[in-house]
Amino acid sequence: MEKDFILDILQKDKSEYEKNNIETLKELKEYNKAEITSMFNKLYSEEPEETGGQNALTGYYFQFLSSLYYLAELLEGKWDFIALELHQDIIVGNSKVIRFIQVKSKVKKERKYVESVTDTKLYNGWLQKLLPLARFYPKSTDKITQFELITNYLINSSKSVKMEHYLFNKNFDLQIDEKDDLLKKLKEYPSEVERKEFDYRKRCGETEKSLLSRFSITPIAIDADIQNFVHNVSSKLGKLVTESARITFEDINYLIGDLFYLCTHNNENGTLFIDREKAEEYLSILAKRVSDKLQPFIKNINSNQIIDDVIASIHSELKQMKLNNMLKDQLMSELEYLHNQLKEWVSDEIYALELLNRYMEAKEYSLSVIDLDEIVKKERYKELFKTILLLKMTFNDEINLSMKFKNLLIKEIDKFFISTLGIDIGETKEAGIEKLISIIIKLPREQQLQMIVKKHFTILQGDHDDDFEEGEFLQIKDFFEPEVSALETQSGVGDVENEWIVLPGLKLLSGIKKAKSYTSIDDYRTGLVDLWKKIQPK
């Protein structure tokens, strides 16, 4: 039976595991399910202590978050099972593919935002343990093996070892040659199994090169706060309950506590096998937990009502301004056009709360946005809708919401992209730019390049506490390679622009008040074009 075979794969010699981890597991076996869940609830609400036990618990937490992400994919039908083993690995599989996954994490106080590959054990430890697992499903079987390393920090190339092409190898079919640095390192530091040098061709029916082409590094939650990853997992699981379900931090911790308890209190020596039937049980538990708050949540995200209320508020604001009557009528017509366009967007492609999520957090689903005070939400909707209104009048052109991306809220206007990113009250321009860079870094390479096939502007919107008067060039080459390789060109990525400009949103919004100085919509548009030019980098 495949279950027994998979569990057998996960049973490894425990002699190499850190003493702190073993001691932590022994202690946790003394707690019940509710007490374990309570520990996870506290884990990220307080600053972690500098103790081995706390570090071990943090690592387990991140590993189980990763497991929940795959649990959601199992429920979506991508996988037939997920097998968890506390000490090291996750295995997921279906009728065609078996994926072996290692999860490596560091606690907040110890980790850097970016780690050089030479400061990790990627090529002299981790790969040597991961790739030989292909021996359980050699090439002669009907299974395709894949290998993934999930981290909570970004691993980048060093001067001597280039490896960033393995980041987000989402199709697990990377084209590499004998000059590949990781491949050379893998041969320099051969794998050992049962204290003997491992023969890949004999045991797996494949070379190291072939196996390495199906390896991907997936950095998750690489910024300082792991709650971003919690939000992503919440989004996937929430949509499985219902499109509008709100899955809270406590709901996620409940599932993690339950899984952890089963791993530490079963007869499988710390392992857990979850098939489709068991996964459906977890989904039922989750649905029951959210059912009592589901109806008010649905009411709160009634897209048409949100749009009506916000547009009515902007209408009232314009009505109270001392404007030329003809210009006022023309502005009201523009506003009504925007009103209808927004309703078309939410009817066909996106719902109102997702607009706000992507504007504030560059993600489809965000618990932090949902938890905002309703008055604050309305104000953020207003600044977003006003920005879109001003852009349409500035360029006197159709504005299309780009559906190529599911992160940044990007509008396509003729020959360039304009994205809008909300920043918190009092945050500086530098904090906004850092937030933008963090968003871009997390994207797969293909998405990064798609964002610069046109000249790109990002409007930072919010009450900045600094003097942000004019735009700045974003030095994209400092955090990802903008040049398109020959291989990427063959894959369909065209020429890219290297110009990405960050603009001050407050200066753009000042265009609303400037309407008082004009008598016609044409003159006003000319003034908005001048304002757009004025906020460009000098």
Side-chain angles (χ1 to χ4, degrees), residues 193-209:
V193 174
E194 298 171 350
R195 299 183 180 181
K196 294 180 181 179
E197 184 171 332
F198 188 74
D199 188 333
Y200 283 95
R201 190 180 292 276
K202 181 178 179 180
R203 302 287 300 276
C204 304
E206 297 182 80
T207 63
E208 296 96 321
K209 175 184 172 184

Side-chain angles (χ1 to χ4, degrees), residues 302-513:
N302 185 302
S303 294
N304 285 333
Q305 188 63 54
I306 290 172
I307 292 170
D308 289 344
D309 290 347
V310 175
I311 292 295
S313 179
I314 298 174
H315 184 280
S316 177
E317 188 177 315
L318 292 175
K319 192 173 181 180
Q320 293 176 25
M321 291 175 62
K322 295 181 180 180
L323 298 174
N324 174 276
N325 288 333
M326 182 175 70
L327 177 58
K328 182 181 290 188
D329 289 342
Q330 292 170 323
L331 283 178
M332 294 304 183
S333 296
E334 292 284 349
L335 184 62
E336 186 58 31
Y337 183 87
L338 174 63
H339 189 189
N340 293 331
Q341 188 175 37
L342 288 168
K343 287 199 168 185
E344 285 180 15
W345 285 352
V346 301
S347 172
D348 299 336
E349 299 165 329
I350 193 171
Y351 60 96
L353 187 60
E354 186 181 336
L355 281 174
L356 193 62
N357 290 337
R358 289 171 59 183
Y359 169 54
M360 294 296 299
E361 296 291 334
K363 59 185 70 171
E364 293 179 83
Y365 185 92
S366 170
L367 289 176
S368 60
V369 172
I370 291 170
D371 289 337
L372 287 175
D373 180 85
E374 291 304 315
I375 295 175
V376 174
K377 278 186 194 172
K378 187 171 183 178
E379 288 304 310
R380 301 317 296 255
Y381 274 119
K382 277 179 67 176
E383 68 188 22
L384 172 60
F385 292 176
K386 282 181 182 178
T387 301
I388 297 173
L389 177 65
L390 287 168
L391 289 173
K392 185 183 182 307
M393 289 192 292
T394 299
F395 295 100
N396 195 21
D397 197 0
E398 193 75 22
I399 296 180
N400 297 308
L401 179 65
S402 177
M403 299 310 295
K404 300 173 186 174
F405 312 100
K406 293 295 183 182
N407 35 67
L408 273 176
L409 189 60
I410 296 177
K411 280 72 65 180
E412 295 189 60
I413 302 177
D414 193 22
K415 297 180 180 180
F416 45 84
F417 289 136
I418 299 181
S419 55
T420 42
L421 182 61
I423 61 176
D424 293 335
I425 294 174
E427 281 196 336
T428 63
K429 167 190 63 180
E430 287 73 22
I433 291 175
E434 185 176 333
K435 180 178 180 179
L436 175 62
I437 291 173
S438 174
I439 291 164
I440 299 170
I441 284 177
K442 296 175 187 177
L443 296 175
R445 168 100 175 136
E446 180 183 353
Q447 285 272 293
Q448 292 173 340
L449 293 176
Q450 287 294 338
M451 283 187 172
I452 54 173
V453 295
K454 300 179 182 181
K455 186 174 182 179
H456 198 130
F457 298 91
T458 295
I459 298 169
L460 290 184
Q461 199 59 271
D463 292 328
H464 324 115
D465 70 353
D466 56 359
D467 296 324
F468 192 8
E469 301 286 336
E470 62 184 47
E472 284 193 14
F473 288 103
L474 189 65
Q475 302 301 321
I476 57 176
K477 66 179 183 298
D478 290 347
F479 52 91
F480 85 88
E481 177 54 59
E483 300 302 324
V484 180
S485 67
L487 183 60
E488 287 168 330
T489 301
Q490 293 171 10
S491 302
V493 178
D495 293 335
V496 297
E497 289 277 348
N498 289 339
E499 196 164 286
W500 195 317
I501 296 173
V502 180
L503 297 174
L506 283 182
K507 287 295 178 182
L508 183 66
L509 280 184
S510 69
I512 295 285
K513 293 181 180 180

